Amino acid sequence: MSDQKAIQERTLAELGATAPDAISARFAELRSGFDHRVDLLSAGDLAGWTALRNAWLGRASGVITAIGDNWLKPATPEQKRIVGKALNELKAHVERTLEELRALAEAAGDAGTTSAGGVDLSLPGVQRPLGTRHPLRQTIEELERIFLSIGFSVVEGPEIETPYYNFEALNIPEHHPARDTMDTFYLSLPSRAAATASEALPPRAATAGSNKQMASPELLLRTHTSPMQIHTMERQKPPVRIIVPGRCYRRDNPDSTHSFAFHQIEGLAVDTDITFCEFKGTCEYFVREFLGPKTRTRLRPSYFPFTEPSAEVDASCFACDGRGCRICKHAGWIELFGAGMVDPAVYGYVNYDAKRLSGFAFGMGVERMAMMRYGINDIQLFYQNDVRFLRQFE
Ligand code: DAH
């Protein structure tokens, strides 16, 4: 029906608007229609803006074109002056308004203040503070870097062990006093799990003549990362050059140097021609890399059931350079870790030829290395997750 046509689709004559006032009124009607659409547009609504621009300025069917075609063209010469002028004004108003809206949206977009569907995208997002690597993790990575650079590879092993791997195969028999310092947590698992764990033990018949003993089926939390020496040599023919970072457990009461859970890095190198010289050289290289090129190394006789001879590896005090200070308790030296040449008895547990092979092993406490390096005097700080402590290692 013709009276439902938009006014710009009809001629002024059809609209009965031939007098100047009537013409102006029609233009005012169009203009307020446009302004109303603008009011409805929300800032940053790009799709709405585009639709509005096309509806009004579109070449083929925009309102401005329609007015030109339907109002201006058929008008009498006197009307043309009025219509032409009003049309130009309307067009300028539409163009200016649309341009202002676009500039506003753009500025808002630049400042990150575009909103869509009532959501204010300009609001700051949820800030998720980036964490950092824990100082123990950083220390482990540094230790790994040093040993990787001289041909060691990194392996990891289970935290739940059998007494066989944790003690016996490391030449620590049941009533050996070395077990006293390594009391730990024992697990009573359902019998199926215990059976599976004991199945994982190596078949005893295949190793007749070795030092292997009956292992008890009970499970425990490993007290050191040394069991991975045995696992690795069982799985792999020599040469072996591995380090084993990982968590260990002991039945220790917490104090400033003890924790029931802590970390170690075990090391093992076995080959046909490894001498004490290579062992000492590796220790010295490590100490210089970790504590600085001027640091001196000292090997002090010690005892471990799985190494012979055994040594404590000491470094000249990094704080006083060996002169003696509070940090080294006036000794000039700081104890770093235990180590030694692999006791040939251990090779017996893994079917390695003790006559042909030799090697060295070491085991260092990650917490101890980190405490020394960063001057931390309480091991508990590592486990409390107090960000005031952790932030210092960013
Ligand atoms: N496993 C020993 C401990 O936890 C540390 C250790 C000492 C490991 C000497 C070794 C070693 O491999 O040769 O106390």
Side-chain angles (χ1 to χ4, degrees), residues 170 172 181-182 223-227 229 248 250 262 264-268 279 303-304 306-307 309-312 337-342 360-365:
L170 286 163
I172 316 176
T181 58
M182 294 203 194
T223 59
H224 46 182
T225 41
S226 309
Q229 288 193 23
C248 310
R250 285 186 200 181
F262 56 99
Q264 283 191 344
I265 291 193
E266 186 78 12
L268 176 70
F279 164 55
Y303 173 77
F304 298 100
F306 37 89
T307 46
S310 303
E312 296 291 344
F337 56 90
M341 300 302 288
V342 177
F360 60 85
F362 55 86
M364 53 183 81

Side-chain angles (χ1 to χ4, degrees), residues 176-233:
H176 196 283
R179 288 207 187 186
D180 294 351
T181 58
M182 294 203 194
D183 200 9
T184 182
F185 302 93
Y186 297 87
L187 289 89
S188 48
L189 288 184
S191 51
R192 236 177 70 89
T196 318
S198 56
E199 272 164 27
L201 294 177
R204 261 162 270 303
T207 53
S210 77
N211 296 350
K212 230 161 235 175
Q213 306 172 3
M214 276 303 288
S216 93
E218 66 188 332
L219 299 176
L220 49 78
L221 295 184
R222 67 177 175 194
T223 59
H224 46 182
T225 41
S226 309
M228 275 309 283
Q229 288 193 23
I230 306 300
H231 286 297
T232 307
M233 289 191 284

Side-chain angles (χ1 to χ4, degrees), residues 84-161:
K85 188 165 171 263
L87 180 57
N88 280 341
E89 279 169 12
L90 178 65
K91 189 178 177 200
H93 172 69
V94 168
E95 282 175 347
R96 197 180 336 109
T97 309
L98 284 168
E99 179 53 28
E100 278 168 15
L101 283 175
R102 197 188 57 77
L104 266 178
E106 225 164 57
D110 284 350
T113 56
T114 322
S115 71
V119 177
D120 187 352
L121 300 182
S122 70
L123 290 174
V126 179
Q127 299 260 335
R128 300 193 194 281
L130 270 190
T132 53
R133 287 168 310 143
H134 192 279
L136 291 178
R137 171 56 41 202
Q138 292 186 32
T139 306
I140 289 172
E141 284 174 8
E142 167 70 356
L143 298 171
E144 287 178 355
R145 182 194 67 74
I146 296 171
F147 285 105
L148 285 169
S149 76
I150 49 173
F152 284 73
S153 31
V154 179
V155 298
E156 289 185 358
E159 290 175 21
I160 297 178
E161 274 294 2

